[in-house]
């Protein structure tokens, strides 16, 4: 990467993600940093716009998986460790099979990462209603893919023409 490319990328990273971090609480999103994490898989996948929608759908599927896992674990009378193992095993198996059968729709790494991110956020925040938190997590994931990931990449390419 040339010096100009490094500096323009550094400038974009210095402005756009912090703008989201500042704005997200005012927009009703208490999990703004999730966007920064979600942008990582977009970048690790080579900033491929053609994969953005699969990555986004993978994140949203993972968010739904986190909601399902959290709800099952909260309502089962079984031993918490047995329940955790069973829920993770079944949902993990299903996520891999579904994403591999429908690779044009779901990007498996973002599904699994989105699931982990969602479960972490849901375990750490016990005060926000679960459905609201699920929507906030999903919104932050989409911001990560499209605003921080794709937009930063597009602007970076434009600035370096």
């Amino acid at each position: 990467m040339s010096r100009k490319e490094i500096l323009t990328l550094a400038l974009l990273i210095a402005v756009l993600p912090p703008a989201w971090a500042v704005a997200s609480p005012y927009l009703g999103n208490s999990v703004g940093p999730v966007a920064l994490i979600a942008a990582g898989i977009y970048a690790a996948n080579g900033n491929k716009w053609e994969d953005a929608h699969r990555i986004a759908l993978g994140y949203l599927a993972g968010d739904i998986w986190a909601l399902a896992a959290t709800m099952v674990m909260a309502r089962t009378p079984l031993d918490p460790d047995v329940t955790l193992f069973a829920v993770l095993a079944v949902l993990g198996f299903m996520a891999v099979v579904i994403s591999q059968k429908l690779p044009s729709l779901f990007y498996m790494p973002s599904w699994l990462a989105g699931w982990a991110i969602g479960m972490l956020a849901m375990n750490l925040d016990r005060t926000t209603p679960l459905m609201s938190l699920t929507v906030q997590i999903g919104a932050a994931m989409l911001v990560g893919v499209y605003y921080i990931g794709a937009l930063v990449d597009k602007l970076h390419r434009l600035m370096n023409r």
Side-chain angles (χ1 to χ4, degrees):
M1 198 179 282
S2 72
R3 182 176 176 187
K4 178 184 176 189
E5 290 171 325
I6 292 168
L7 291 175
T8 55
L9 181 58
L11 175 67
L12 289 166
I13 294 298
V15 173
L16 294 179
W20 164 253
V22 170
S24 63
Y26 294 102
L27 298 171
N29 195 306
S30 64
V31 290
V34 164
L36 306 176
I37 300 166
I41 284 184
Y42 182 83
N45 189 50
N47 293 316
K48 297 177 191 167
W49 171 251
E50 62 271 13
D51 288 341
H53 308 309
R54 294 181 333 114
I55 292 169
L57 284 174
Y59 277 131
L60 295 178
D63 190 25
I64 292 166
W65 249 225
L67 173 64
T70 301
M71 291 174 67
V72 168
M73 290 186 294
R75 289 171 173 77
T76 185
L78 301 175
D79 177 79
D81 292 333
V82 171
T83 302
L84 177 63
F85 181 86
V87 168
L88 294 180
V90 170
L91 291 179
F93 180 89
M94 290 173 59
V96 170
V97 170
I98 293 167
S99 64
Q100 294 304 299
K101 287 290 185 184
L102 300 169
S104 63
L105 288 178
F106 301 106
Y107 187 61
M108 186 179 63
S110 63
W111 188 330
L112 298 175
W115 181 23
I117 293 164
M119 287 189 68
L120 176 64
M122 291 172 191
N123 281 316
L124 292 176
D125 183 348
R126 302 272 183 184
T127 60
T128 304
L130 195 54
M131 293 309 285
S132 173
L133 188 57
T134 302
V135 170
Q136 290 179 50
I137 292 166
M141 289 172 172
L142 294 177
V143 167
V145 172
Y146 293 109
Y147 171 72
I148 296 172
L151 181 62
V152 165
D153 182 55
K154 180 69 170 170
L155 292 173
H156 185 242
R157 291 172 196 258
L158 286 172
M159 293 171 76
N160 287 291
R161 277 190 180 165

